[in-house]
Amino acid sequence: MSALSELSAMSSKGGRKLSPEERKQRARENNRDGKAGYIFLLPWLVGLVAITAGPMALSLYFAFTDYNLLQPAEFNGIANFTRMIEDTRLHQSLKVTFTYVLVSTPIQLAVALAVAMLLDKGMRGLSFYRSVFYLPSLLGSSVAIAVLWRQIFGTQGLFNQVLGMLGLPDDTGWISSPDTALGAIILLHIWTFGSPMIIFLAGLRQIPTMYYEAAQVDGATKRHQFVHITIPLLSPIIFFNLVLQVIGAFQSFTQAFIVSNGTGGPSDSTLFYSLYLYQQGFRQFSMGYASAMAWLLLLIIAAFTALNFLIAKYWVFYDD
Amino acid sequence: MTDLTVSTTPDQAPDRTDEVRHARNKTTTSIVKHVLMIAASLFMIYPLLWMLVSSLRPTEVIFRTPGLLLTDFYIANYIDGWTALSQPFHRFLVNSAIITFACIFGNIVSCALAAYAFARLKFRGRNIFFAIMLITLMLPWHVTVVPQYILFSQVDLVNTFWPLILPKLLATDAFFVFLMVQFIRGIPRDMDEAAKIDGCGQFRIFFSIIVPLLTPAMATTAIFTFIQTWNEFFGPLIYLTKSTNWTVSVALRQFLDSESASNWGAMFAMSIVSLLPVFLVFLFGQRFLVKGIATTGIK
C-alpha cells in the first residue's frame, strides 16, 4: 500500500469498538514486545520530539512574537498575521507559487503518464529510454542545473541561439523579463517528469492485460480502453502522484533562488513563497514573521491535500 | 543505459502475403515510434550534453554555439573554475562527501531500526506513532526550519556539519522509514517465528535475520540519500556560511556573486564536476532507484 492509502485506511477503521476480551488480548500482545519496540523506535522518537514536534511547537509560538535572534522573542499577538494582510510582496509570492503549482503539476503529470503509456508496450530499448527520461528528475533539483537554466534562457542563451538559427526573433531575455521568468522555471519542473513516470510505469504493469483483451473483443476503441480501463485502474497511482507533487511543488526553493540569484526578480516575478520566507527569516532575521509564514504555508498545503482527498472520493477507484 | 538497440523487427519473410503486409505495417509503426522516442530522448538530454560540451569551450564560444560538435578541448575552464573561489574546489567536494556519507549512514541505521519496530513489534501507541510518521512525510520543512536554526545557533553548531547530519541520525526522513516498513512486511514471518521459538531475542532476530534480507531496501535508501544530500541547497545555505565549510551546492551558488560570474565556461565546468557523482550513482544504482520509487507509490 502506498503511504496515502494506508493513512486513509487507518483513519477509517480507527473507530471500531473492541469487546473486553479483544481488548485484553490486544493488551497482552502489545506488552509482548513492548520494551524492545521502544528501544528500536528510540532514535525516531528522539527525532520526533527534538527535530520535528518540538521545533513545530516553538515555531507556532514564534509566529505570535517579534523575534530577530538578537533580542529575546517578544509576544506581539496577531501582529504578524495582520501584517500579512497588508504585505503586497507576500501576496505576490502566493500568486507566483499558486501559478507554479497549478500550471506545472498537471502538465508534468500528464507528460509523465503519456510517456509511461508509450513506453509500457514492451518496446525494445525500453530501459534506455526510461533512463534518459528519468535522469533529469535526479539532477533537476541541483544548483548546477539551475545555473544551466540561467544560461539557456538568458538573452544570449542556448534557447535564443536555437531561435536565431530558425530565423525567429532571438533577443528576448526570458529570465530577465517578468513575463517569462516564471515560465522558464515551470519548464524546468516539467523537464523532471521522470520520477512520476517511473511510478506510472510500475502501475501500468499491474493492470491485467486480459481487461484490454476483453475490451478488444467487445470492440472498444483505444480511447475507450484508456478512459474505461487505464484511468480507473491507475487512479490510485495518479492520486498518489498528484498529492505528493502538489506538496513538493509548494515547497520549491532552489531553482527560483538560483535563477533570480536570491532576489525573486525580475520585479518579484519568481518570488516563490519559500524564497520570500528565506528572505524574511534569514536575510532580515524576522524570525517571528517567517514562522507565521511557515504556518500559513502548512495550512495551505493541508487544505490542498484535504481537498485532494475529498475530490478523490469521486474519481479514485480502489479495486478491493 | 545498456541496450541502445534500435529495433529492427525481424524480417523473416513469411510466405503468406497477408502476413507480410501485417509484419511490414508493424515494422513501420515500430520505426516511427522509435524515431519519435529517440527525438524525445535527444530533446530531454540535449541541455545536459550541451552543458558538458560547453564546459570545454571558451565562454565567448558558448554564447554563439548551440551545436554539440567540439573542435578542441578548452581545459582552462576546469583549471580556472577549480581555483575561482576563495577555496579550491576539492575542498567543497570533500565537505559534500563527508556530509553525504554521514547522512547515508544515519538514514540506513536509524530508519531500519524504526521500520523494524513499526513492521514487526507490538507495543502501546504503535499505530498512533505510525500515523504520525506518515503525516510527517507530508510536512513542509518550513514549519521546523526557523526554530531548528535558532536551537542549533544557541548550542553553537552553526558552521558545523551537525545541523545537516543530526536529523538523519534520528530517522526524520519518514520516506525511508516507510520504504523499509514496506520491505520488512514483505519478508515472510516464518523465519523470525522460528528464531523466536529457538530463543532468539528481538535484537538477534533483527541483526541476523532482518538486516541481511533488508539490504536491497538499504541500498535504495543509500542511493536516494546520496542524491538528495549531494543536491541539497537550503540547509547548507543557511548553516554553512564560512567558505571552508561550503558544500558543492553553496560553492556553485557563490559563482553567481563572485567576479567569475561572467565566466560561464568555468561555471559550467564546475557544474559538470558537481553533477558527475550523481550521474555515476544513477548509472550504477538505477535498478534500486526504479524499484524504490515504484514500491512506495504502488499500493
Side-chain angles (χ1 to χ4, degrees):
Chain A
M1 274 212 252
S2 80
L4 295 182
S5 43
E6 198 143 329
L7 199 58
S8 47
M10 282 181 104
S11 64
S12 59
K13 77 177 173 199
R16 197 170 68 93
K17 280 246 162 63
L18 298 172
S19 68
E21 292 93 81
E22 267 184 310
R23 209 174 292 163
K24 237 181 238 165
Q25 168 83 18
R26 183 76 61 92
R28 223 176 353 218
E29 280 177 3
N30 281 350
N31 276 332
R32 204 179 61 200
D33 312 315
K35 226 198 278 166
Y38 293 119
I39 294 172
F40 276 99
L41 207 59
L42 192 64
W44 182 84
L45 281 169
V46 174
L48 177 68
V49 173
I51 304 289
T52 311
M56 265 181 87
L58 269 177
S59 166
L60 189 58
Y61 165 70
F62 288 141
F64 296 96
T65 65
D66 183 14
Y67 185 29
N68 63 6
L69 210 58
L70 300 172
Q71 278 111 22
E74 206 174 298
F75 187 75
N76 69 356
I78 57 164
N80 288 326
F81 294 94
T82 48
R83 182 179 155 195
M84 282 179 179
I85 298 170
E86 277 144 35
D87 186 351
T88 49
R89 289 197 80 203
L90 180 89
H91 304 161
Q92 172 65 14
S93 76
L94 282 170
K95 200 181 116 195
V96 169
T97 309
F98 272 91
T99 311
Y100 175 76
V101 173
L102 296 177
V103 173
S104 68
T105 319
I107 298 181
Q108 192 211 35
L109 288 181
V111 173
L113 180 58
V115 177
M117 288 189 60
L118 272 175
L119 285 180
D120 182 46
K121 300 281 151 39
M123 68 193 295
R124 282 210 190 189
L126 181 139
S127 64
F128 169 76
Y129 295 127
R130 192 180 57 190
S131 301
V132 169
F133 294 138
Y134 183 41
L135 180 63
S137 66
L138 296 178
L139 305 179
S141 65
S142 67
V143 172
I145 294 298
V147 165
L148 172 66
W149 233 250
R150 224 173 121 92
Q151 201 289 337
I152 290 181
F153 293 101
T155 315
Q156 289 175 286
L158 176 63
F159 190 60
N160 274 342
Q161 293 173 29
V162 173
L163 288 182
M165 268 171 55
L166 300 172
L168 296 165
D170 62 353
D171 52 359
T172 319
W174 301 99
I175 270 170
S176 50
S177 150
D179 297 329
T180 50
L182 181 60
I185 299 177
I186 289 176
L187 216 56
L188 173 52
H189 189 64
I190 296 169
W191 188 61
T192 62
F193 69 80
S195 64
M197 177 197 76
I198 299 274
I199 300 179
F200 282 140
L201 264 175
L204 286 169
R205 295 264 159 83
Q206 292 197 329
I207 302 178
T209 45
M210 60 174 194
Y211 290 169
Y212 293 105
E213 286 159 11
Q216 237 156 17
V217 170
D218 291 348
T221 60
K222 281 265 178 315
R223 208 179 66 99
H224 277 122
Q225 291 177 24
F226 176 72
V227 174
H228 297 293
I229 300 174
T230 312
I231 291 290
L233 289 177
L234 206 59
S235 59
I237 289 155
I238 300 174
F239 175 63
F240 173 84
N241 271 332
L242 182 69
V243 170
L244 287 196
Q245 292 295 332
V246 165
I247 292 173
F250 266 114
Q251 304 180 45
S252 300
F253 175 77
T254 309
Q255 289 76 16
F257 184 98
I258 297 298
V259 165
S260 69
N261 198 11
T263 63
S267 347
D268 287 345
S269 62
T270 61
L271 187 68
F272 279 46
Y273 196 86
S274 304
L275 183 51
Y276 187 49
L277 191 147
Y278 166 79
Q279 290 180 356
Q280 286 297 327
F282 297 94
R283 288 269 177 86
Q284 326 262 345
F285 289 102
S286 303
M287 295 291 193
Y289 193 55
S291 299
M293 279 183 67
W295 279 89
L296 178 64
L297 182 67
L298 177 75
L299 290 179
I300 292 172
I301 292 180
F304 260 79
T305 309
L307 190 69
N308 256 330
F309 270 94
L310 276 179
I311 300 174
K313 285 198 183 123
Y314 300 99
W315 69 275
V316 178
F317 169 79
Y318 288 101
D319 209 4
D320 41 42
Chain B
M1 316 202 90
T2 42
D3 44 348
L4 173 58
T5 41
V6 179
S7 162
T8 45
T9 314
D11 205 3
Q12 285 154 341
D15 37 20
R16 300 265 187 290
T17 43
D18 248 16
E19 276 175 34
V20 172
R21 197 177 308 135
H22 190 68
R24 261 198 210 133
N25 261 343
K26 247 183 145 178
T27 317
T28 336
T29 43
S30 150
I31 287 173
V32 167
K33 206 169 163 189
H34 276 284
V35 168
L36 257 167
M37 290 314 272
I38 289 169
S41 308
L42 198 65
F43 183 74
M44 283 291 287
I45 215 83
Y46 198 86
L48 296 172
L49 294 176
W50 185 77
M51 178 157 75
L52 177 64
V53 172
S54 294
S55 75
L56 292 162
R57 283 172 178 155
T59 299
E60 64 278 10
V61 180
I62 294 176
F63 280 94
R64 53 185 158 78
T65 323
L68 293 180
L69 205 66
L70 201 59
T71 41
D72 60 340
F73 294 85
Y74 189 71
I75 307 290
N77 286 335
Y78 283 83
I79 297 163
D80 294 348
W82 208 271
T83 52
L85 301 172
S86 56
Q87 305 287 326
F89 208 77
H90 55 253
R91 176 99 212 188
F92 312 131
L93 290 169
V94 170
N95 290 342
S96 281
I98 293 171
I99 295 171
T100 302
F101 285 108
C103 288
I104 290 175
F105 170 81
N107 267 347
I108 287 181
V109 174
S110 67
C111 296
L113 290 172
Y116 182 65
F118 283 131
R120 281 289 205 265
L121 302 179
K122 293 204 167 99
F123 52 91
R124 196 178 289 273
R126 182 181 75 165
N127 287 346
I128 294 163
F129 286 137
F130 190 65
I132 291 175
M133 194 271 295
L134 292 178
I135 289 167
T136 62
L137 205 61
M138 291 175 240
L139 213 58
W141 45 265
H142 309 68
V143 286
T144 52
V145 70
V146 167
Q148 274 176 18
Y149 181 83
I150 292 165
L151 293 173
F152 280 120
S153 70
Q154 272 170 357
V155 288
D156 220 14
L157 286 177
V158 171
N159 264 312
T160 69
F161 297 157
W162 283 110
L164 305 170
I165 296 169
L166 197 65
K168 313 288 168 175
L169 293 171
L170 297 172
T172 47
D173 253 331
F175 177 81
F176 300 118
V177 179
F178 184 66
L179 182 94
M180 291 191 189
V181 166
Q182 294 286 75
F183 198 90
I184 294 174
R185 282 177 180 168
I187 297 174
R189 275 172 185 271
D190 315 7
M191 280 207 270
D192 23 330
E193 297 295 341
K196 212 176 275 177
I197 291 163
D198 288 348
C200 274
Q202 291 299 348
F203 296 91
R204 275 284 298 278
I205 295 176
F206 176 71
F207 284 108
S208 28
I209 294 176
I210 301 295
V211 169
L213 292 171
L214 194 60
T215 42
M218 288 176 162
T220 305
T221 302
I223 291 165
F224 268 115
T225 308
F226 185 99
I227 294 171
Q228 262 175 25
T229 318
W230 190 269
N231 284 344
E232 208 211 327
F233 179 58
F234 190 88
L237 178 71
I238 61 170
Y239 286 113
L240 308 175
T241 52
K242 281 196 192 123
S243 66
T244 46
N245 289 330
W246 285 345
T247 62
V248 168
S249 308
V250 183
L252 275 181
R253 178 246 175 277
Q254 297 298 330
F255 266 100
L256 302 175
D257 274 345
S258 70
E259 55 212 66
S260 320
S262 52
N263 190 351
W264 283 92
M267 231 186 299
F268 275 7
M270 291 307 104
S271 296
I272 292 291
V273 169
S274 79
L275 291 179
L276 201 63
V278 178
F279 181 70
L280 290 177
V281 165
F282 163 75
L283 212 56
F284 294 107
Q286 210 197 141
R287 194 162 53 95
F288 293 106
L289 285 170
V290 169
K291 214 180 249 168
I293 52 175
T295 46
T296 45
I298 303 291
K299 57 173 241 166

